[in-house]
Amino acid sequence: MLILEGKLLRAEKILALASVELKPAGSFVQELETALRELCLKLDVPLPLWLDKNSKEFAKFRTTFFFPGQFTEEIPFERFQIQLLERH
């Protein structure tokens, strides 16, 4: 089972934490996009802009960070981290 975990961070403090299960819905990219939308709803944050750096980080490390410039509105945190976890 694949889980997408999200953390809202300010300095080194975790402000909020949530996770969603990836559901089989076609391609992995579609599953990831759906899970990211669900995670943003759970954490009550706007959907961030996904940049090339996010694709590279996520492909290599199964984690990536979103910063204030990647959101279309003001956010009360410094970073939004997502990480793909595998649970058995």
Side-chain angles (χ1 to χ4, degrees), residues 55-87:
S55 295
K56 291 174 185 173
E57 288 172 354
F58 200 76
K60 190 171 184 177
F61 304 111
R62 296 174 73 139
T63 191
T64 190
F65 290 90
F66 300 96
F67 296 95
Q70 291 177 262
F71 293 89
T72 57
E73 51 193 82
E74 290 290 318
I75 54 169
F77 51 88
E78 294 175 356
R79 296 181 315 270
F80 174 34
Q81 177 187 10
I82 62 169
Q83 182 174 14
L84 190 63
L85 306 171
E86 193 168 344
R87 299 217 174 111

Side-chain angles (χ1 to χ4, degrees), residues 7-44:
K7 295 178 188 173
L8 302 181
L9 304 156
R10 187 180 309 129
E12 297 304 317
K13 184 176 180 182
I14 298 173
L15 304 175
L17 174 68
S19 61
V20 295
E21 183 180 340
L22 271 73
K23 299 175 183 86
S27 73
F28 176 75
V29 172
Q30 291 171 323
E31 292 176 29
L32 181 60
E33 185 176 320
T34 299
L36 179 58
R37 287 180 189 278
E38 289 178 24
L39 198 53
C40 287
L41 283 172
K42 275 189 169 183
L43 293 168
D44 194 28

